[in-house]
Amino acid sequence: MVTNVNKRGGCKASNGLVNWGSWWGDQWSGFAEGEVVHKDGQMEIVFEKTGAQSYSPQVFQENLFFENGREYTVSLDAKSTAPREVNLLVGEPLSSDPWFIPFMDTKVISIGEEVETHSFTFEMTSATNVNGKLVFEVGEINGVSIPSTITIDNVTIK
């Protein structure tokens, strides 16, 4: 079951992909080709082509609450049909350059063909924010673009 994060930093059961969005690129970052689907209670990011940037494509959840001075743990289960890396970011989206203000350092997750749990902890040192965003960047990571199907499950922020 894909779990959505609520505005209080806990989690609630998801109804498919409710509250999840995706972005598949543009003329500047390159266009990716694929889709995000809900299958067997899990989120699958299926793509045949990535853009030229790490963030094309990306899957995300927005409008998350992060309180200054609190520690948060991001946890998820993931696997891929081809071993590859995925960037995990938490921050605030912006409508102009620089487009995103990170609340933690980007975490590069190595995903293999077997389900593995990944967990990261960070302290919210920015001002309390009700517009937080959790992002999975699945485009070109560290110069490598590997089309695959990535399965993500049990996403939580506590």
Side-chain angles (χ1 to χ4, degrees), residues 8-20:
R8 296 286 175 219
C11 60
K12 62 181 179 177
S14 167
N15 179 12
L17 297 173
V18 172
N19 299 323
W20 290 95

PDB file of all heavy atoms in Angstrom, residues 8-20:
ATOM      1  N   ARG A   8       0.454  16.872   9.153  1.00  0.00           N
ATOM      2  CA  ARG A   8       1.030  16.870  10.501  1.00  0.00           C
ATOM      3  C   ARG A   8       2.305  16.047  10.575  1.00  0.00           C
ATOM      4  O   ARG A   8       2.867  15.855  11.627  1.00  0.00           O
ATOM      5  CB  ARG A   8       0.015  16.336  11.520  1.00  0.00           C
ATOM      6  CG  ARG A   8      -1.193  17.220  11.633  1.00  0.00           C
ATOM      7  CD  ARG A   8      -0.824  18.467  12.399  1.00  0.00           C
ATOM      8  NE  ARG A   8      -1.954  19.363  12.399  1.00  0.00           N
ATOM      9  CZ  ARG A   8      -1.861  20.664  12.276  1.00  0.00           C
ATOM     10  NH1 ARG A   8      -0.694  21.238  12.130  1.00  0.00           N
ATOM     11  NH2 ARG A   8      -2.924  21.413  12.300  1.00  0.00           N
ATOM     12  N   GLY A   9       2.772  15.524   9.427  1.00  0.00           N
ATOM     13  CA  GLY A   9       4.017  14.776   9.414  1.00  0.00           C
ATOM     14  C   GLY A   9       3.837  13.298   9.700  1.00  0.00           C
ATOM     15  O   GLY A   9       4.792  12.556   9.682  1.00  0.00           O
ATOM     16  N   GLY A  10       2.621  12.862   9.953  1.00  0.00           N
ATOM     17  CA  GLY A  10       2.350  11.437  10.143  1.00  0.00           C
ATOM     18  C   GLY A  10       1.991  10.823   8.810  1.00  0.00           C
ATOM     19  O   GLY A  10       2.443  11.266   7.778  1.00  0.00           O
ATOM     20  N   CYS A  11       1.158   9.799   8.836  1.00  0.00           N
ATOM     21  CA  CYS A  11       0.772   9.200   7.571  1.00  0.00           C
ATOM     22  C   CYS A  11      -0.659   8.701   7.655  1.00  0.00           C
ATOM     23  O   CYS A  11      -1.220   8.564   8.723  1.00  0.00           O
ATOM     24  CB  CYS A  11       1.711   8.063   7.203  1.00  0.00           C
ATOM     25  SG  CYS A  11       1.736   6.738   8.420  1.00  0.00           S
ATOM     26  N   LYS A  12      -1.256   8.474   6.504  1.00  0.00           N
ATOM     27  CA  LYS A  12      -2.591   7.905   6.428  1.00  0.00           C
ATOM     28  C   LYS A  12      -2.642   6.973   5.233  1.00  0.00           C
ATOM     29  O   LYS A  12      -1.875   7.122   4.291  1.00  0.00           O
ATOM     30  CB  LYS A  12      -3.646   9.007   6.307  1.00  0.00           C
ATOM     31  CG  LYS A  12      -3.512   9.849   5.061  1.00  0.00           C
ATOM     32  CD  LYS A  12      -4.573  10.920   5.018  1.00  0.00           C
ATOM     33  CE  LYS A  12      -4.389  11.770   3.763  1.00  0.00           C
ATOM     34  NZ  LYS A  12      -5.396  12.766   3.590  1.00  0.00           N
ATOM     35  N   ALA A  13      -3.520   6.012   5.274  1.00  0.00           N
ATOM     36  CA  ALA A  13      -3.634   5.068   4.162  1.00  0.00           C
ATOM     37  C   ALA A  13      -4.080   5.797   2.904  1.00  0.00           C
ATOM     38  O   ALA A  13      -4.856   6.729   2.951  1.00  0.00           O
ATOM     39  CB  ALA A  13      -4.623   3.971   4.515  1.00  0.00           C
ATOM     40  N   SER A  14      -3.565   5.358   1.783  1.00  0.00           N
ATOM     41  CA  SER A  14      -3.859   5.994   0.508  1.00  0.00           C
ATOM     42  C   SER A  14      -4.950   5.250  -0.237  1.00  0.00           C
ATOM     43  O   SER A  14      -5.122   4.056  -0.082  1.00  0.00           O
ATOM     44  CB  SER A  14      -2.595   5.995  -0.347  1.00  0.00           C
ATOM     45  OG  SER A  14      -2.895   6.324  -1.675  1.00  0.00           O
ATOM     46  N   ASN A  15      -5.660   5.976  -1.062  1.00  0.00           N
ATOM     47  CA  ASN A  15      -6.600   5.396  -1.998  1.00  0.00           C
ATOM     48  C   ASN A  15      -5.939   5.489  -3.366  1.00  0.00           C
ATOM     49  O   ASN A  15      -6.106   6.465  -4.071  1.00  0.00           O
ATOM     50  CB  ASN A  15      -7.929   6.143  -1.958  1.00  0.00           C
ATOM     51  CG  ASN A  15      -8.927   5.577  -2.944  1.00  0.00           C
ATOM     52  OD1 ASN A  15      -8.720   4.512  -3.489  1.00  0.00           O
ATOM     53  ND2 ASN A  15     -10.004   6.302  -3.172  1.00  0.00           N
ATOM     54  N   GLY A  16      -5.143   4.494  -3.707  1.00  0.00           N
ATOM     55  CA  GLY A  16      -4.432   4.528  -4.975  1.00  0.00           C
ATOM     56  C   GLY A  16      -3.358   5.597  -4.965  1.00  0.00           C
ATOM     57  O   GLY A  16      -2.521   5.637  -4.077  1.00  0.00           O
ATOM     58  N   LEU A  17      -3.407   6.482  -5.946  1.00  0.00           N
ATOM     59  CA  LEU A  17      -2.389   7.520  -6.080  1.00  0.00           C
ATOM     60  C   LEU A  17      -2.904   8.893  -5.678  1.00  0.00           C
ATOM     61  O   LEU A  17      -2.323   9.910  -6.063  1.00  0.00           O
ATOM     62  CB  LEU A  17      -1.873   7.542  -7.519  1.00  0.00           C
ATOM     63  CG  LEU A  17      -1.181   6.251  -7.962  1.00  0.00           C
ATOM     64  CD1 LEU A  17      -0.848   6.293  -9.447  1.00  0.00           C
ATOM     65  CD2 LEU A  17       0.058   5.992  -7.134  1.00  0.00           C
ATOM     66  N   VAL A  18      -3.985   8.935  -4.896  1.00  0.00           N
ATOM     67  CA  VAL A  18      -4.521  10.205  -4.426  1.00  0.00           C
ATOM     68  C   VAL A  18      -3.407  10.960  -3.710  1.00  0.00           C
ATOM     69  O   VAL A  18      -2.656  10.385  -2.927  1.00  0.00           O
ATOM     70  CB  VAL A  18      -5.731   9.979  -3.492  1.00  0.00           C
ATOM     71  CG1 VAL A  18      -6.174  11.272  -2.843  1.00  0.00           C
ATOM     72  CG2 VAL A  18      -6.868   9.344  -4.254  1.00  0.00           C
ATOM     73  N   ASN A  19      -3.271  12.221  -3.990  1.00  0.00           N
ATOM     74  CA  ASN A  19      -2.277  13.131  -3.409  1.00  0.00           C
ATOM     75  C   ASN A  19      -0.900  13.021  -4.045  1.00  0.00           C
ATOM     76  O   ASN A  19       0.003  13.741  -3.645  1.00  0.00           O
ATOM     77  CB  ASN A  19      -2.163  12.965  -1.886  1.00  0.00           C
ATOM     78  CG  ASN A  19      -3.456  13.270  -1.181  1.00  0.00           C
ATOM     79  OD1 ASN A  19      -4.176  14.178  -1.573  1.00  0.00           O
ATOM     80  ND2 ASN A  19      -3.763  12.508  -0.163  1.00  0.00           N
ATOM     81  N   TRP A  20      -0.701  12.131  -5.011  1.00  0.00           N
ATOM     82  CA  TRP A  20       0.575  12.026  -5.702  1.00  0.00           C
ATOM     83  C   TRP A  20       0.468  12.681  -7.072  1.00  0.00           C
ATOM     84  O   TRP A  20      -0.547  12.553  -7.751  1.00  0.00           O
ATOM     85  CB  TRP A  20       0.997  10.563  -5.874  1.00  0.00           C
ATOM     86  CG  TRP A  20       1.394   9.917  -4.592  1.00  0.00           C
ATOM     87  CD1 TRP A  20       0.610   9.171  -3.771  1.00  0.00           C
ATOM     88  CD2 TRP A  20       2.672   9.991  -3.963  1.00  0.00           C
ATOM     89  NE1 TRP A  20       1.328   8.766  -2.676  1.00  0.00           N
ATOM     90  CE2 TRP A  20       2.609   9.258  -2.767  1.00  0.00           C
ATOM     91  CE3 TRP A  20       3.881  10.602  -4.298  1.00  0.00           C
ATOM     92  CZ2 TRP A  20       3.693   9.120  -1.903  1.00  0.00           C
ATOM     93  CZ3 TRP A  20       4.962  10.455  -3.440  1.00  0.00           C
ATOM     94  CH2 TRP A  20       4.855   9.721  -2.266  1.00  0.00           C
TER      95      TRP A  20
END
